[in-house]
Amino acid sequence: MIKPTESELEILNILWAEGPSNVRSVNEIMNQQKEVGYTTTLKLMQIMTQKGLVERDESSRTHIYSAKIKAEDIQGEMLDKLLNSAFGGSASKLVLSALGSGKASAKELEEIKALIQKLEKDGNQ
Amino acid sequence: MIKPTESELEILNILWAEGPSNVRSVNEIMNQQKEVGYTTTLKLMQIMTQKGLVERDESSRTHIYSAKIKAEDIQGEMLDKLLNSAFGGSASKLVLSALGSGKASAKELEEIKALIQKLEKDGNQ
DNA sequence: AATTATCTACGAACAATTTCGTATAATTTA
DNA sequence: TAAATTATACGAAATTGTTCGTAGATAATT
């Protein structure tokens, strides 16, 4: 699978959140965080099309782009990379670090607990 | 805080694992994975010194480098970045993805469960 | 003491990524 | 319909990161 660069990932995130979009609206969302020229975003999205990261509907003048890869796939891959590059392969260290920062809500903690219980049950069979 | 590049992170990992080291030994460990010239590693470590990522003891001809930042700090920072760049800020999605890949042992799952319980308890007070 | 090995410093080539200017075409507005 | 706006395409500059060659100093070996 093709690995997106930093900027490409930003765009993918927008497409995942917003669904199929044109360059202008992607660029506007990008600009909420940092200033980026329109043609910069355009160029990136063109490159992403070439790489097969996004799909482009050219039926009208304003092209519509949509993410071609699933968020989960990239997430899993990047997580794996981080796991090995920064956490020495220890998933628990990573999880502990993630939970420790206090970013998960009570409901989310429940979800995680439920998954752990399931994993433990399956593991014992 | 300064964000290390890919290569710099590799070196930091070695320094975290091995403790204070000279360029040669870092380079040798690097070479176990991929071929890298000695001066390449040297240059990287010099740059890292400038950036303040490592500290250098110059008291003898062969300089000794040690990581200046804690593994936990970088880990937390990189995790945070990944969280926002690839998981839309949802810590639970990240954790679920990490646990789902089956990389955590039974003992690790217990650790995580214990932390969750602690978090839930603290949160209710 | 001369040769060889090992070390740092440093510039610069190379590569990947990001940014944007300019050209050109289509559409909308005045 | 002329002018202004809004698109895409594309080349190339700018930026960032990586790699390494060469020079010069110090230390070890013969």
Side-chain angles (χ1 to χ4, degrees), chain A residues 37-85:
Chain A
Y38 175 84
T39 53
T40 301
T41 304
L42 169 64
K43 179 70 166 187
L44 278 170
M45 292 174 80
Q46 284 170 344
I47 291 171
M48 290 171 80
T49 305
Q50 276 200 322
K51 289 193 186 174
L53 291 171
V54 298
E55 211 159 33
R56 180 164 66 172
D57 175 354
E58 306 178 358
S59 60
S60 58
R61 183 165 87 111
T62 303
H63 298 351
I64 305 295
Y65 294 78
S66 45
K68 207 173 169 184
I69 49 181
K70 280 183 293 185
E72 292 73 26
D73 290 347
I74 290 291
Q75 285 168 354
E77 199 172 316
M78 296 194 64
L79 193 57
D80 221 69
K81 209 183 115 217
L82 183 68
L83 187 63
N84 291 310
S85 69

Side-chain angles (χ1 to χ4, degrees), chain B residues 3 13 19 28 43 63 66 69 77 96 104 107 110 117 123:
Chain B
K3 179 199 140 205
N13 271 308
E28 267 162 16
K43 180 70 165 188
H63 298 351
S66 45
I69 49 181
E77 197 173 318
L96 292 175
K107 195 180 151 211
E110 281 310 311
Q117 248 126 35

Side-chain angles (χ1 to χ4, degrees), chain B residues 24-40:
Chain B
R24 182 146 308 277
S25 61
V26 169
N27 182 245
E28 267 162 16
I29 294 174
M30 293 264 275
N31 271 282
Q32 287 169 11
Q33 300 197 313
K34 61 166 179 171
E35 198 173 308
V36 190
Y38 175 84
T39 53
T40 301

Side-chain angles (χ1 to χ4, degrees), chain B residues 59-118:
Chain B
S59 60
S60 58
R61 182 164 86 111
T62 303
H63 298 351
I64 304 295
Y65 294 79
S66 45
K68 206 173 169 185
I69 49 181
K70 281 182 293 187
E72 291 73 26
D73 290 347
I74 289 291
Q75 285 168 355
E77 197 173 318
M78 296 192 66
L79 193 58
D80 220 70
K81 211 185 112 218
L82 183 68
L83 188 63
N84 291 310
S85 70
F87 288 84
S90 162
S92 70
K93 268 193 199 148
L94 185 150
V95 170
L96 292 175
S97 172
L99 294 179
S101 57
K103 296 244 170 65
S105 68
K107 195 180 151 211
E108 289 178 321
L109 289 177
E110 281 310 311
E111 276 176 51
I112 295 164
K113 216 156 63 170
L115 175 68
I116 291 177
Q117 248 126 35
K118 184 170 174 304

Side-chain angles (χ1 to χ4, degrees), chain B residues 7-22:
Chain B
S7 308
E8 290 171 348
L9 190 59
E10 279 179 58
I11 289 173
L12 282 175
N13 271 308
I14 293 171
L15 291 179
W16 285 328
E18 305 286 322
S21 313
N22 60 31

